[in-house]
Every structure is written in C-alpha cells, then in structure tokens.
Amino acid sequence: TRAEALLMDAIGVFRRQVAMPDATDHTKAVQRSTRLANALQNLASISMLVVTTTLEKSNALLEEAVTHYQWALELGLEDDPERINAVAGVAESLYSLADGYLQEGKYDQSKARYRDTMIWYQKHNIASPSMIQDVQFSDADASLEATEQALEDYNAMLYGGGEIPIPNDYYGGSSGGGGDPIYQPDELYEADLHATLGALRMARPNELHLAISHLANAIERYARDADTAGRALADAQLNLAMAYFQQEEYALSMEAHADALDVYQKVVGEGKNPLMDGLEDLLAHHGVDRKETTTTVSGAGDAATVADGTNKGGDGSDRLIDLGAYQASILNATAAAKDEL
C-alpha cells in the first residue's frame, strides 16, 4: 500500500539518523529515536491490514520499536516532552506484542511480554485502556437477559423455586419432592452460562465487578473437569485477565493470562492461533454464522435437556454457549485495547 511504502521510506531515513547520533544534543537524539519507534509501530499496525503480512513480521517491527522507545527514555531527561510519547509507545507496543505472540501460538513469548506490559503500566502509573465502548453486540441486552434466564431456570429446575412448574413425576418420591431429582447438576453447562454472562458484562459500563464474579465462577467449574472443558477454560481465564487489566489489578491479570496460555498450549498446541483454531467448526456446530453481526444464546431457553445429561458429549462439544458473543468479546476487547492506546 501507499501508506506502507511511505512509512518504509521514513523508517529508512530515521534509521540513518539514529545511526549517527548527535552527542551534543540529547533532545535531538531522543526525538530521532522516538520518531523511528513511532514509524515502526505504525508500520506494524498497517502491516496487519495487508493479507500477505505475517504476524512474525509485525512482531519484529514492534520489538524494534520497543528497543528504540526504551533507548529514547534512557537518553531523555525527566522533563523531556518526548518522554510521555515514549512511555505510552512502550505500553502500546508491549501489549500488542503479547497479543501478537499469542496469535502466533508462541506462548512463552506472549507470557513474557504480557508480564512486561503489566509491570510497565504499574511502574509508570498508566491508566488501563477502556475496552467497553468498542465491544458492542447489536442484541447484547437480549443475549444477557436470555442467558440470565437460562441460569435462573436451571437453578429452579434443580433446586425448586422460580416460575418453572416442576411436575411431581420429576421426583422419585411423593409430590413433596421426597425422592432424588431426575435432573442432575451439569457443572459444565452452568460454567458456560457464567462464562457467557462474564463476557457480555465486560462490554457494559460499570459492570466489571459482575463480569469478574461470573468468570471466576465459570473457571472454578471448568477446572473441575478441565479435560472436557478444554479451551473454554482458557477463554474464561483470558477474559478474566482482561477484566483485571481494566481494573488495574495487574498482578491478578498477569496470573490469569499465564493460566489461560498454559491451557491453550495444552489444548491447541504450539504454533497455532488459539483464538481462531477450530472456531469455525464450533460456530457451525452451534448454528452460529460467523459472518453475521448479531448473536444469540444458543438454546438458552432450554436448560432441562442439558441438566438431565441428554445433550452432554464426552468431548464437551454439545455444551450450550453463546460462542459468537463469547469469541467476539475476546477478539474485540483485544482490538479495543490497541485502539484506545
């Protein structure tokens, strides 16, 4: 593209300037290094829009940008006006690198750069980017309401109460419910509901605390049958990391992110994009068209068939979850963080 060519030319000029630093003028040296880093970072962003550009190339540009930003900070004075730009540039680039390495399936590098990001934010008192305004679903309210109703119905069916009438023959005993219920708890189904609620609430103002509560609830249940839960556990942990990041709970975010990557590495494998691997097949299985912009909670109104185990698969493939909204939350939150930065 034209923009890419112009940036490449600018980078060539800035590289030559940086290679010949002016030892008598620290301000000029800082400006040159910062401008080079800016150009590298912008080129990395534009390159991701080009189909033929690889994540590896983009990540290499960002690594070089971080090097020059940090060099500028080492050269610059505390009151240098370029310092703020360099500090922000490092934050942006580190976050993008953590995401880029994750999408490359390079989990150790992603962990390291995410840890660097959290430490950098805390050290320099940088406000966490808001991920709310860019994460939007056209039917988010309906999805949230339907999922909450599904959870309420599920609990009512198992434990009584609520508006769902429970016939006497649901129980092995008398009309008073003296026997054991036919419907047994399905923790993976319940985890799916909490995970979806957590993902949806991340996209709503002032509801991060509710999102964190739902995601923690989902993770606890998934972890009890981690082999069946598979990537669903990692998805919930990654969302939890993002929620903690927005709340500036950097240590907790770092821990949740590392936990998520450990699961992705085990389930998806090294060198594969865990955010996209198998997504199309999963969406098709649940009747979700990934090209559509609207999402619904698949089967949220019928918890009964799941609670009695009739729809459970040994690989967890038949669990009900709003995969469209859930995956969109992960991908859009990542993109929104970059845009905000």
Side-chain angles (χ1 to χ4, degrees), residues 27 45 53-55 86 103 137 173 183 194 257 324 329:
T27 300
S45 298
T53 301
T54 63
L55 279 167
Q103 293 191 52
F137 309 117
Y183 293 104
H194 281 293
H257 184 270
S329 175

Side-chain angles (χ1 to χ4, degrees), residues 29-31 33-34 66-78 80 82-91 120 123-124:
V30 169
Q31 289 176 342
S33 189
T34 303
V66 169
T67 298
H68 287 286
Y69 276 133
Q70 291 180 327
W71 184 23
L73 290 170
E74 292 175 3
L75 292 174
L77 302 175
E78 288 296 326
D80 193 313
E82 295 289 336
R83 182 176 180 80
I84 296 176
N85 181 33
V87 169
V90 172
W120 191 264
K123 177 181 178 181
H124 295 278

Side-chain angles (χ1 to χ4, degrees), residues 135-172:
V135 185
Q136 299 175 350
F137 309 117
S138 60
D139 61 343
D141 290 340
S143 292
L144 183 63
E145 183 179 349
T147 311
E148 287 179 331
Q149 186 63 53
L151 184 59
E152 182 180 339
D153 292 349
Y154 168 82
N155 287 326
M157 184 168 45
L158 288 177
Y159 310 116
E163 298 180 357
I164 297 182
I166 302 182
N168 295 338
D169 58 3
Y170 273 29
Y171 295 90

Side-chain angles (χ1 to χ4, degrees), residues 9-270:
D9 290 341
I11 288 171
V13 173
F14 294 147
R15 278 175 173 158
R16 288 192 293 272
Q17 290 179 341
V18 168
M20 298 181 294
D22 186 346
T24 64
D25 192 339
H26 288 289
T27 300
K28 184 178 294 185
V30 169
Q31 289 176 342
R32 289 173 175 174
S33 189
T34 303
R35 287 171 182 169
L36 173 55
N38 282 337
L40 289 164
Q41 186 182 358
N42 288 333
L43 180 58
S45 298
I46 292 176
S47 295
M48 294 311 300
L49 302 177
V50 180
V51 177
T52 57
T53 301
T54 63
L55 279 167
E56 186 176 5
K57 176 182 176 181
S58 178
N59 289 340
L61 292 168
L62 289 169
E63 289 286 6
E64 187 179 355
V66 169
T67 298
H68 287 286
Y69 276 133
Q70 291 180 327
W71 184 23
L73 290 170
E74 292 175 3
L75 292 174
L77 302 175
E78 288 296 326
D79 59 351
D80 193 313
E82 295 289 336
R83 182 176 180 80
I84 296 176
N85 181 33
V87 169
V90 172
E92 296 170 21
S93 299
L94 288 175
Y95 188 93
S96 295
L97 280 166
D99 178 63
Y101 286 134
L102 172 59
Q103 293 191 52
E104 276 196 278
K106 295 181 177 179
Y107 302 106
D108 290 340
Q109 291 95 319
S110 181
K111 284 182 188 178
R113 279 318 196 185
Y114 195 83
R115 181 176 63 250
D116 293 340
T117 304
M118 298 300 103
I119 292 173
W120 191 264
Y121 268 86
Q122 189 166 25
K123 177 181 178 181
H124 295 278
N125 296 315
I126 304 172
S128 297
S130 171
M131 301 180 187
I132 293 174
Q133 61 183 359
D134 291 313
V135 185
Q136 299 175 350
F137 309 117
S138 60
D139 61 343
D141 290 340
S143 292
L144 183 63
E145 183 179 349
T147 311
E148 287 179 331
Q149 186 63 53
L151 184 59
E152 182 180 339
D153 292 349
Y154 168 82
N155 287 326
M157 184 168 45
L158 288 177
Y159 310 116
E163 298 180 357
I164 297 182
I166 302 182
N168 295 338
D169 58 3
Y170 273 29
Y171 295 90
S174 66
S175 61
D180 295 329
I182 293 175
Y183 293 104
Q184 299 297 322
D186 182 346
E187 286 208 318
L188 292 179
Y189 172 74
E190 189 174 353
D192 286 345
L193 292 178
H194 281 293
T196 300
L197 286 170
L200 290 171
R201 289 197 178 279
M202 282 180 66
R204 299 168 71 90
N206 306 316
E207 294 194 7
L208 274 176
H209 64 292
L210 296 175
I212 288 172
S213 177
H214 280 298
L215 291 167
N217 202 324
I219 290 167
E220 181 180 356
R221 284 165 169 73
Y222 283 140
R224 291 173 188 160
D225 192 0
D227 289 340
T228 303
R231 59 168 295 152
L233 172 58
D235 290 344
Q237 290 168 325
L238 188 61
N239 265 348
L240 183 62
M242 293 178 182
Y244 279 137
F245 179 36
Q246 291 179 71
Q247 286 207 152
E248 301 183 7
E249 297 282 353
Y250 301 122
L252 291 174
S253 180
M254 195 187 313
E255 180 180 354
H257 184 270
D259 289 342
L261 266 60
D262 285 341
V263 177
Y264 281 138
Q265 187 169 20
K266 178 181 178 181
V267 174
V268 179
E270 196 81 19

